[in-house]
Amino acid sequence: MKTIATLNALPHFILKQTKKICQKCLLIFGLLQIFIQLQAQNPNEAAHSILPADGIIQYLPKDTSAASNPAILSTNKLQFTPQVNFFFLPEGTLNYKGAGLAVDTGHLNFYLRGDFGAKLSLPKNVDMVFSLQSYGIYTRSLGPLDPNLTLYEGYVDLKKLGRNSNLALRFGRMSLGKYGNEILVGDDDFIKGRSFESVRLRYKKNRVTSDLMWVQLYQPAPPAANFDWNHPIFLATFNTFNFSEAFNIDANLPFIIDQYNSGWRTSVFMPDVRAFGHLGNFKYSAELILQTGTAKDILNPNITGTLNAYATEFSAGYTSTSGKLNASLAYYRASGDDNTADNQLKSYNVLWQNEHRRFGYIDAFKGSNVQAVTFHLDWKLGRLVSSGVHGVMAQVLESKDRASGVITLENLNRLNTINKFIGIGGDWYLNYYYNHNLNFQFSTSAFKTGEYFTAVNGTDKTMIRFYLMMALRI
C-alpha cells in the first residue's frame, strides 16, 4: 500500500520540480536580458559597425577587418582569434534590372554571405590567417546562384622585422585592402571579397607608410583569343606621407603586365597622386590617376596600340565638433573613348574600386566613361543609431565607349540617342549598431533613369530598391 501511495504522489512531485526548474530558467533568462541591455547601454562602449562597407553607402567607411575580434585562447606564446561573420539581406525591387542581368530579378531577392576563419598569433610577431567565404543569391526569376564555399584568405604575416621593427612581410592569398578613396583599389565588401595570391612588403614609420606589392591575377581569355588563359601580373608601390593634419599625400605607382582590355593585351603604368587633410572641421581630398601604356591586338600581335586614360575625384566635407554630423560633396570624372574603332584606348579601366558606395545605381557603368556629382550626409542620432542620405547625378562623357558596364556591343551598335544623361538617384539609410556582435540596416533607394540609361539598359521608369540587412559576428 505504501508503494502504491508513493507512485500516486510521483506525478505531483515531478510537476512541482518541473515548475521550480522553469521558474529558475525564467529568472536566469530575465537576468541575461537585463545584462544584455546594460551591455548595450554602457556609455563606455563605443558602437562598432560590422556592416559591410559596400552596403552602408558611407563615403569613408571604417575598417571592418577581423583584427578587432578578441582572442578566445591565449597563452604566453599563442593567441587564437576566431572570425565568424554572417550577413543576411532580403531585398525588394521595383522596375529594377541589376548590372549585367538581362532580366528583372523578380522583385524579391535574398543575399547570404558567411565568413568562417581564424587568426593564430605565434611567437616572434607571426600571424597565420585563414578565412573561408560563402556567398549565395536567390532570386524568384533566376533561382539560387553561386552558393559555394571558397577560400577567401590564407596568408602569413611577419610583423616587426628589421633592426627598428619598421618592416612587415605578408604572403599568401589575401585581400589587397583599401587605398586612398578607392577609385583605383578597394574592397567589394558585401558580395565576394576580392582576394589574390600576393606578396606585400610594408615599411611603416611615424609619418610614412610604404607598400611594395606583387599580385598574381587570373583573367579568362575571350573566346576569339588563340590561348586558353591569360595571367596578368600586378606590381605596385603604394605610399602615404603624413606631414600634418592639414596636408598629406598618397603617391602610388601600379603596373599591370599583359591584361586583356577591349580586344587588346595591354601593359599599363598608373601613376596616382592624392592630396588630403583636415582644416579644422573641414576635410578635403583631390586625386588624379593616369593610365598610360602599350597594347597588342588579341588576334594579331603585329597590330599595336596605345593607352592614354585618366580618372580624377575632388571632394570636400564638413564634420561637426561633436562628430555627430558629417557632410561631403564630391565630383568624379573618368575618361571615355571618343573613337571605339581606332588603336588608341582612352577609356579609364577600373581595377577593383568599390563603386556602389560612391555611385549607387550608376555602379552599373563600372566607373568608366562617366562624370558624377555626389552628396553624402550622415547624422549620428545617438550612440547606437545613425541615419543618412546619399545623392548622385551623372552622365557619360562619350555616347559610344568600349568600357565594360551595362552597355554591350550589341546595344552599342543600336544606340539611337545622342543624349548623355544617365540619371539622378538617392539613398536613405538607417543603421542600428546593437552591439559589437549585431548590427542592422534599413535602406531604400530611388533612381530616375535618364535618356542614355534607358537607351542602353531598356528601363525607362524610376527604379526603386529597399532592403533590410542583418550583420552578425559570433
Side-chain angles (χ1 to χ4, degrees), residues 14 72 75 104 159 167-168 203 244 250 257 285 292 393 450 474:
I14 294 175
I72 64 169
T75 66
D104 192 297
K159 302 179 294 184
L167 292 174
Y203 173 82
S244 66
D250 286 334
I257 303 172
S285 174
T292 179
M393 181 173 63
I474 302 175

Side-chain angles (χ1 to χ4, degrees), residues 40 63 226 276 452:
D63 185 12
N226 56 0
F276 62 99
Y452 182 85

Side-chain angles (χ1 to χ4, degrees), residues 62 78 232:
K62 296 180 180 179
L78 298 176

Side-chain angles (χ1 to χ4, degrees), residues 93-107:
T93 62
L94 181 65
N95 302 324
Y96 175 71
K97 293 200 299 185
L101 297 179
V103 296
D104 192 297
T105 54
H107 308 303

Side-chain angles (χ1 to χ4, degrees), residues 55-77:
I56 301 175
I57 324 175
Q58 289 182 346
Y59 194 68
L60 289 177
K62 296 180 180 179
D63 185 12
T64 55
S65 67
S68 58
N69 283 12
I72 64 169
L73 174 63
S74 180
T75 66
N76 291 333
K77 294 184 178 181

Side-chain angles (χ1 to χ4, degrees), residues 267-283:
S267 295
V268 188
F269 280 103
M270 288 168 279
D272 171 22
V273 178
R274 172 181 174 240
F276 62 99
H278 287 265
L279 296 171
N281 294 79
F282 295 90
K283 62 181 179 181

